[in-house]
Amino acid sequence: MARTSDKSRARRRRIANFLLIVTSFSLMFLGKADIAALRNAHMGASDFMAPLVDLVSAPVRGVDTMVTGIRTVASLRAENVRLQGENDLLKRWRRRAEILESENRQLRSVTGAVTPERRIPLTARAVTAPGGSFAHTLLIAVGYESDIRAGNPVVTADGLVGLVVEVGKSYARVLMISDINARIPVILASSSWPGLTIGQNGVFIELAFLPEEAKPQIGELVLTSGHGGVLPAGLPVGSVNLVRDNYVRIQPAVDLRSLSYVSVLTGGLDGIDTRDLSLGDYFTPLPIDDDSRLLEGLNAVGERQ
Amino acid sequence: MIRAARYFARAKFSIDWPIQFLVGVTGVLLTFFEGSLALWSLFYGATPLLSLVFLYWMMVQCENFVPVFPVFVIGLISDILFSEILGGRATAYVLAFYYVGFRRSKILQGDFMQTWLDFALVVTGVMLFQLLIFSLLNFAIPALTPILFQIGSTLILFPMGYLLLFSLASLVEKVRMLS
């Protein structure tokens, strides 16, 4: 009697184990198939877990703040001297920026470039940071209650962090520019050559699909191009860090390892008005050898005399 | 003979499940803690697999208290939390569970170095399995440095976790003896 019971229990356990393995493998393929119901369940689970993670991470944040405080006190005098120097430098830069801003305004009126629709920045706290080697995403403490939508760009004062990919009630998941699945259309700031950044799940990003004629320089700024209309043009993505044969590496403008607060640019998802924009007009670099004077004969308001 | 079997079966059934539940809850909390460690720039993009250290120790030392289902749930929660391939780590943990179950008697007979070496195999296996699945599903190979860092940091933290868990286990045992 007991033997029969043991046997049937063992058989049931074997069947349960087999079903669990089948479920595990099925989940992987269903997850990859990107089924809406599964995606919603995934975001629902994240929404549920985020406050718990936030609670558990409180001591970690506390220790981090304490360590930062000790470091700051230790280097207060040196920091003060450095800040004074930086302040002087910033004053000079501010003056220069004012001049450049005025010049930029004039140039915009000359070229007739379309300014992207205004977006409303919304500050959000980063609840988690990328913890695994296979995905670079972070959870932020704003959701559809705050009018966040998938596709909204996420930035800091330094530049682009990523874009919102999943939105829950009070939390949203951000795909960072360093994720292997992140593809950001960009241009090289000084030469205007278009390209595409590809994350590598590491600290750096690859700049790919550059035209053969493009010669990126070390330190050259890389900005979002605005192609596709999801991201506004002109957000700093990073700067060229390494050029080797056909491989171009970018150092992100934002220090992605220490994100506490980010800004989500809400609105403007209907995209930039593309009716008057075409690739040929705005994203082909000016011919370097051509010495024709494009601005010759133009006055300050852009009218040809 | 029949009586002994009956008594044994009843006693075993009535004692295990609350502890199994506690093991599951502890594993889930450790997974959350893993997620919070990512806030430190040191562990950015590659936190040590603390939940695996805990599960491995439990699977080796207290086999009866670790059924496969909590192992699967802990893996699944880390998949959701880290937004990795859904079921990737869960499957890797389940496979690790069967591997440790298969090797358990040998691990128990060996010294600490052998246990550590065996754990190194488990961690490497878990990460390689995830890498394989990720590469197959995405047709891309991610940066290998964070993966190696994750394996390395987990292995470095293993002796500390092992010692801590042993101390806790002996403390629980002493309390039980006193009561």
Side-chain angles (χ1 to χ4, degrees):
Chain A
M1 189 69 177
R3 276 183 188 172
T4 321
S5 164
D6 281 351
K7 270 185 186 175
S8 68
R9 196 176 297 147
R11 196 182 304 130
R12 261 183 284 158
R13 193 176 299 159
R14 232 175 285 143
I15 292 169
N17 286 347
F18 175 73
L19 284 176
L20 200 64
I21 288 280
V22 171
T23 313
S24 308
F25 275 93
S26 311
L27 267 177
M28 283 190 281
F29 293 103
L30 285 173
K32 190 64 194 165
D34 207 23
I35 296 165
L38 203 69
R39 208 168 50 228
N40 290 343
H42 191 177
M43 198 54 226
S46 296
D47 225 23
F48 174 74
M49 282 192 309
L52 294 173
V53 180
D54 205 14
L55 193 75
V56 173
S57 61
V60 178
R61 281 180 205 278
V63 171
D64 197 30
T65 312
M66 200 173 73
V67 170
T68 314
I70 291 168
R71 270 193 204 146
T72 311
V73 169
S75 61
L76 215 57
R77 195 178 149 74
E79 187 76 2
N80 194 26
V81 174
R82 193 183 64 79
L83 282 173
Q84 276 176 354
E86 203 173 295
N87 195 28
D88 289 341
L89 190 73
L90 283 173
K91 275 180 188 165
R92 262 177 276 155
W93 272 107
R94 190 185 160 186
R95 246 171 269 135
R96 191 164 161 72
E98 281 168 359
I99 296 164
L100 285 172
E101 194 185 346
S102 146
E103 192 180 317
N104 193 21
R105 212 179 297 127
Q106 284 176 19
L107 281 171
R108 273 179 193 281
S109 70
V110 173
T111 56
V114 180
T115 312
E117 276 181 58
R118 289 183 73 87
R119 306 205 183 206
I120 305 154
L122 188 74
T123 307
R125 193 164 52 83
V127 178
T128 62
S133 316
F134 301 103
H136 275 205
T137 62
L138 60 97
L139 274 177
I140 52 171
V142 285
Y144 58 72
E145 279 179 338
S146 312
D147 209 22
I148 299 290
R149 283 170 59 193
N152 285 146
V154 178
V155 298
T156 67
D158 296 326
L160 183 70
V161 173
L163 64 153
V164 175
V165 282
E166 287 173 347
V167 188
K169 193 182 170 197
S170 317
Y171 294 88
R173 193 173 283 282
V174 177
L175 183 76
M176 295 166 82
I177 52 172
S178 55
D179 189 277
I180 203 163
N181 289 311
R183 304 281 191 275
I184 310 290
V186 290
I187 52 164
L188 287 167
S190 30
S191 56
S192 298
W193 287 109
L196 204 66
T197 64
I198 301 172
Q200 295 175 311
N201 281 2
V203 179
F204 299 105
I205 306 168
E206 187 186 344
L207 177 58
F209 300 109
L210 277 174
E212 278 182 18
E213 303 93 312
K215 286 187 174 53
Q217 302 297 313
I218 301 285
E220 192 170 355
L221 194 64
V222 178
L223 306 169
T224 53
S225 67
H227 279 124
V230 175
L231 294 170
L235 290 175
V237 175
S239 51
V240 175
N241 172 269
L242 177 81
V243 182
R244 191 187 297 149
D245 301 327
N246 290 326
Y247 177 73
V248 183
R249 197 175 73 178
I250 298 174
Q251 165 87 53
V254 180
D255 185 3
L256 300 170
R257 290 173 301 177
S258 55
L259 290 172
S260 311
Y261 286 91
V262 291
S263 290
V264 185
L265 303 180
T266 60
L269 262 183
D270 298 332
I272 305 160
D273 187 355
T274 52
R275 280 173 300 183
D276 298 318
L277 273 176
S278 63
L279 293 178
D281 289 344
Y282 289 96
F283 295 100
T284 304
L286 293 170
I288 295 165
D289 298 331
D290 190 356
D291 59 354
S292 62
R293 293 167 188 172
L294 294 173
L295 302 179
E296 197 172 50
L298 288 178
N299 64 13
V301 290
E303 287 167 354
R304 202 168 283 277
Q305 292 172 328
Chain B
M1 281 294 277
I2 293 168
R3 277 183 183 175
R6 271 184 189 168
Y7 285 127
F8 175 72
R10 277 182 191 170
K12 200 178 166 219
F13 175 74
S14 63
I15 203 167
D16 286 351
W17 73 266
I19 301 173
Q20 289 174 353
F21 177 74
L22 268 180
V23 168
V25 171
T26 313
V28 170
L29 284 176
L30 269 174
T31 309
F32 288 163
F33 184 66
E34 251 177 60
S36 69
L37 279 182
L39 294 168
W40 280 349
S41 54
L42 174 68
F43 293 124
Y44 174 80
T47 53
L49 305 174
L50 298 180
S51 54
L52 188 62
V53 174
F54 171 70
L55 284 176
Y56 180 82
W57 189 87
M58 287 301 291
M59 285 187 278
V60 171
Q61 301 295 333
C62 322
E63 189 193 22
N64 292 335
F65 300 143
V66 193
V68 69
F69 189 66
V71 175
F72 172 75
V73 171
I74 291 165
L76 196 64
I77 284 176
S78 24
D79 283 329
I80 294 169
L81 189 66
F82 298 124
S83 192
E84 290 180 349
I85 296 163
L86 200 62
R89 195 180 284 191
T91 314
Y93 275 16
V94 169
L95 293 176
F97 171 85
Y98 290 125
Y99 171 78
V100 175
F102 178 69
R103 292 267 306 163
R104 188 172 173 266
S105 54
K106 279 186 185 169
I107 296 168
L108 280 172
Q109 281 165 17
D111 56 1
F112 176 73
M113 284 306 286
Q114 209 170 332
T115 312
W116 201 359
L117 193 71
D118 214 79
F119 179 71
L121 276 176
V122 171
V123 179
T124 313
V126 164
M127 294 306 290
L128 281 182
F129 177 80
Q130 286 189 87
L131 177 66
L132 183 75
I133 295 290
F134 183 90
S135 304
L136 282 175
L137 293 180
N138 289 290
F139 296 109
I141 297 171
L144 296 177
T145 323
I147 297 172
L148 292 174
F149 180 81
Q150 205 163 10
I151 295 173
S153 59
T154 311
L155 287 179
I156 288 168
L157 288 175
F158 178 73
M160 272 186 268
Y162 199 82
L163 200 70
L164 190 77
L165 288 166
F166 250 122
S167 312
L168 280 174
S170 59
L171 193 74
V172 168
E173 193 61 36
K174 270 181 193 169
V175 169
R176 217 166 65 175
M177 293 278 277
L178 284 172
S179 61

